[in-house]
Short mmCIF file of all heavy atoms in Angstrom, two decimals:
data_model
loop_
_atom_site.label_atom_id
_atom_site.label_comp_id
_atom_site.label_asym_id
_atom_site.label_seq_id
_atom_site.Cartn_x
_atom_site.Cartn_y
_atom_site.Cartn_z
N ASP A 123 18.33 -13.39 19.99
CA ASP A 123 17.40 -13.03 21.08
C ASP A 123 15.97 -13.47 20.84
O ASP A 123 15.18 -13.50 21.73
CB ASP A 123 17.43 -11.45 21.23
CG ASP A 123 18.75 -10.96 21.80
OD1 ASP A 123 19.41 -11.70 22.59
OD2 ASP A 123 19.20 -9.90 21.40
N TYR A 124 15.70 -13.75 19.56
CA TYR A 124 14.40 -14.15 19.22
C TYR A 124 14.44 -15.41 18.37
O TYR A 124 14.33 -15.40 17.08
CB TYR A 124 13.66 -13.01 18.40
CG TYR A 124 13.59 -11.72 19.15
CD1 TYR A 124 14.57 -10.81 19.03
CD2 TYR A 124 12.51 -11.49 20.01
CE1 TYR A 124 14.58 -9.62 19.72
CE2 TYR A 124 12.50 -10.32 20.74
CZ TYR A 124 13.46 -9.40 20.57
OH TYR A 124 13.45 -8.21 21.31
N PRO A 125 14.67 -16.56 19.03
CA PRO A 125 14.90 -17.86 18.23
C PRO A 125 13.78 -18.36 17.34
O PRO A 125 14.05 -19.09 16.36
CB PRO A 125 15.23 -18.85 19.27
CG PRO A 125 14.85 -18.25 20.62
CD PRO A 125 14.73 -16.79 20.40
N THR A 126 12.54 -17.91 17.57
CA THR A 126 11.39 -18.23 16.68
C THR A 126 11.33 -17.30 15.53
O THR A 126 10.48 -17.57 14.68
CB THR A 126 10.10 -18.27 17.50
OG1 THR A 126 9.87 -16.94 17.97
CG2 THR A 126 10.18 -19.33 18.63
N LEU A 127 12.10 -16.26 15.44
CA LEU A 127 12.03 -15.38 14.37
C LEU A 127 12.56 -15.98 13.00
O LEU A 127 13.60 -16.55 13.02
CB LEU A 127 12.92 -14.06 14.68
CG LEU A 127 12.87 -12.93 13.68
CD1 LEU A 127 11.52 -12.28 13.57
CD2 LEU A 127 13.88 -11.86 14.07
N SER A 128 11.92 -15.82 11.92
CA SER A 128 12.29 -16.41 10.62
C SER A 128 12.55 -15.27 9.64
O SER A 128 12.07 -14.17 9.90
CB SER A 128 11.25 -17.32 10.08
OG SER A 128 10.11 -16.66 9.76
N LYS A 129 13.30 -15.61 8.58
CA LYS A 129 13.47 -14.53 7.53
C LYS A 129 12.17 -14.20 6.94
O LYS A 129 11.92 -13.03 6.50
CB LYS A 129 14.47 -15.05 6.50
CG LYS A 129 15.92 -15.15 7.00
CD LYS A 129 16.85 -15.56 5.87
CE LYS A 129 18.25 -15.73 6.44
NZ LYS A 129 19.19 -16.21 5.40
N THR A 130 11.24 -15.18 6.77
CA THR A 130 9.93 -14.88 6.22
C THR A 130 9.22 -13.84 7.07
O THR A 130 8.58 -12.93 6.54
CB THR A 130 9.13 -16.21 6.08
OG1 THR A 130 9.94 -17.09 5.23
CG2 THR A 130 7.78 -15.92 5.46
N THR A 131 9.25 -14.06 8.40
CA THR A 131 8.58 -13.11 9.29
C THR A 131 9.21 -11.73 9.13
O THR A 131 8.46 -10.72 9.07
CB THR A 131 8.67 -13.55 10.76
OG1 THR A 131 8.06 -14.83 10.86
CG2 THR A 131 8.08 -12.63 11.71
N ILE A 132 10.49 -11.59 9.00
CA ILE A 132 11.09 -10.31 8.85
C ILE A 132 10.73 -9.72 7.55
O ILE A 132 10.36 -8.53 7.45
CB ILE A 132 12.62 -10.44 8.90
CG1 ILE A 132 13.12 -10.88 10.34
CG2 ILE A 132 13.35 -9.18 8.47
CD1 ILE A 132 14.52 -11.22 10.49
N TYR A 133 10.77 -10.48 6.47
CA TYR A 133 10.38 -10.00 5.20
C TYR A 133 8.89 -9.51 5.17
O TYR A 133 8.60 -8.32 4.75
CB TYR A 133 10.50 -11.11 4.13
CG TYR A 133 10.03 -10.68 2.75
CD1 TYR A 133 10.83 -9.86 1.89
CD2 TYR A 133 8.78 -11.05 2.24
CE1 TYR A 133 10.36 -9.50 0.67
CE2 TYR A 133 8.30 -10.68 1.07
CZ TYR A 133 9.12 -9.87 0.24
OH TYR A 133 8.67 -9.48 -1.02
N ASN A 134 7.99 -10.25 5.75
CA ASN A 134 6.58 -9.86 5.81
C ASN A 134 6.37 -8.61 6.69
O ASN A 134 5.58 -7.80 6.46
CB ASN A 134 5.71 -10.93 6.37
CG ASN A 134 5.61 -12.11 5.31
OD1 ASN A 134 5.74 -11.87 4.12
ND2 ASN A 134 5.34 -13.35 5.76
N THR A 135 7.11 -8.59 7.76
CA THR A 135 7.00 -7.40 8.67
C THR A 135 7.49 -6.14 7.96
O THR A 135 6.91 -5.06 8.04
CB THR A 135 7.90 -7.64 9.89
OG1 THR A 135 7.38 -8.80 10.59
CG2 THR A 135 7.96 -6.49 10.88
N LEU A 136 8.61 -6.23 7.22
CA LEU A 136 9.16 -5.10 6.50
C LEU A 136 8.17 -4.61 5.40
O LEU A 136 8.01 -3.42 5.13
CB LEU A 136 10.47 -5.37 5.84
CG LEU A 136 11.66 -5.63 6.90
CD1 LEU A 136 12.84 -6.18 6.21
CD2 LEU A 136 11.97 -4.27 7.57
N LYS A 137 7.55 -5.56 4.77
CA LYS A 137 6.50 -5.19 3.75
C LYS A 137 5.36 -4.47 4.40
O LYS A 137 4.84 -3.46 3.91
CB LYS A 137 5.93 -6.45 3.01
CG LYS A 137 6.88 -6.94 1.99
CD LYS A 137 6.96 -5.92 0.83
CE LYS A 137 7.88 -6.45 -0.25
NZ LYS A 137 8.25 -5.41 -1.16
N LEU A 138 4.87 -4.95 5.57
CA LEU A 138 3.82 -4.25 6.25
C LEU A 138 4.30 -2.88 6.65
O LEU A 138 3.52 -1.93 6.48
CB LEU A 138 3.43 -5.09 7.53
CG LEU A 138 2.37 -4.48 8.44
CD1 LEU A 138 1.08 -4.22 7.69
CD2 LEU A 138 2.21 -5.31 9.64
N PHE A 139 5.50 -2.75 7.22
CA PHE A 139 5.98 -1.42 7.64
C PHE A 139 6.16 -0.46 6.49
O PHE A 139 5.83 0.67 6.55
CB PHE A 139 7.39 -1.52 8.33
CG PHE A 139 7.37 -2.22 9.66
CD1 PHE A 139 8.60 -2.52 10.25
CD2 PHE A 139 6.16 -2.50 10.35
CE1 PHE A 139 8.66 -3.12 11.51
CE2 PHE A 139 6.32 -3.15 11.57
CZ PHE A 139 7.47 -3.42 12.14
N GLU A 140 6.46 -1.03 5.29
CA GLU A 140 6.61 -0.15 4.12
C GLU A 140 5.18 0.28 3.66
O GLU A 140 5.00 1.50 3.31
CB GLU A 140 7.28 -0.97 2.98
CG GLU A 140 7.74 -0.16 1.86
CD GLU A 140 8.51 -1.01 0.82
OE1 GLU A 140 8.57 -2.15 0.93
OE2 GLU A 140 8.96 -0.26 -0.12
N GLN A 141 4.22 -0.57 3.71
CA GLN A 141 2.83 -0.21 3.34
C GLN A 141 2.28 0.88 4.31
O GLN A 141 1.52 1.78 3.90
CB GLN A 141 1.91 -1.47 3.41
CG GLN A 141 2.19 -2.45 2.31
CD GLN A 141 1.48 -3.75 2.55
OE1 GLN A 141 0.81 -3.97 3.60
NE2 GLN A 141 1.54 -4.65 1.58
N LYS A 142 2.70 0.88 5.55
CA LYS A 142 2.26 1.87 6.51
C LYS A 142 3.13 3.08 6.62
O LYS A 142 3.01 3.95 7.53
CB LYS A 142 2.15 1.20 7.90
CG LYS A 142 1.12 0.05 7.95
CD LYS A 142 -0.26 0.48 7.86
CE LYS A 142 -1.24 -0.61 8.02
NZ LYS A 142 -2.67 -0.08 8.18
N ASN A 143 4.13 3.18 5.72
CA ASN A 143 5.01 4.29 5.65
C ASN A 143 5.89 4.48 6.91
O ASN A 143 6.18 5.58 7.29
CB ASN A 143 4.32 5.54 5.28
CG ASN A 143 3.73 5.55 3.94
OD1 ASN A 143 4.39 5.19 2.98
ND2 ASN A 143 2.48 5.90 3.88
N LEU A 144 6.35 3.37 7.44
CA LEU A 144 7.23 3.42 8.61
C LEU A 144 8.64 3.15 8.19
O LEU A 144 9.64 3.56 8.92
CB LEU A 144 6.84 2.38 9.70
CG LEU A 144 5.49 2.61 10.43
CD1 LEU A 144 5.22 1.56 11.41
CD2 LEU A 144 5.58 3.99 11.15
N VAL A 145 8.85 2.48 7.07
CA VAL A 145 10.16 2.19 6.58
C VAL A 145 10.10 2.39 5.05
O VAL A 145 9.02 2.33 4.44
CB VAL A 145 10.71 0.82 6.93
CG1 VAL A 145 10.81 0.60 8.46
CG2 VAL A 145 10.00 -0.26 6.26
N ARG A 146 11.19 2.47 4.48
CA ARG A 146 11.34 2.45 2.98
C ARG A 146 12.34 1.43 2.56
O ARG A 146 13.38 1.21 3.28
CB ARG A 146 11.66 3.83 2.45
CG ARG A 146 13.08 4.34 2.63
CD ARG A 146 13.34 5.67 2.13
NE ARG A 146 12.69 6.60 2.97
CZ ARG A 146 12.37 7.85 2.57
NH1 ARG A 146 12.76 8.32 1.50
NH2 ARG A 146 11.82 8.65 3.48
N ALA A 147 12.05 0.75 1.48
CA ALA A 147 13.02 -0.16 0.85
C ALA A 147 13.97 0.64 0.09
O ALA A 147 13.60 1.56 -0.67
CB ALA A 147 12.30 -1.18 0.06
N VAL A 148 15.29 0.36 0.14
CA VAL A 148 16.29 1.09 -0.58
C VAL A 148 16.96 0.09 -1.56
O VAL A 148 17.53 -0.89 -1.19
CB VAL A 148 17.31 1.62 0.37
CG1 VAL A 148 18.48 2.31 -0.42
CG2 VAL A 148 16.72 2.53 1.37
N LYS A 149 16.85 0.42 -2.82
CA LYS A 149 17.48 -0.44 -3.89
C LYS A 149 18.72 0.29 -4.32
O LYS A 149 18.65 1.18 -5.16
CB LYS A 149 16.49 -0.67 -5.01
CG LYS A 149 17.08 -1.57 -6.06
CD LYS A 149 16.04 -2.50 -6.63
CE LYS A 149 16.53 -3.32 -7.75
NZ LYS A 149 17.55 -4.29 -7.37
#
Side-chain angles (χ1 to χ4, degrees):
D123 293 327
Y124 303 92
T126 61
L127 185 65
S128 68
K129 288 182 185 177
T130 301
T131 298
I132 294 171
Y133 176 79
N134 290 336
T135 298
L136 292 168
K137 281 293 181 194
L138 176 62
F139 290 173
E140 193 175 8
Q141 290 168 354
K142 298 291 188 170
N143 294 313
L144 291 178
V145 302
R146 71 181 73 198
V148 178
K149 182 141 176 66

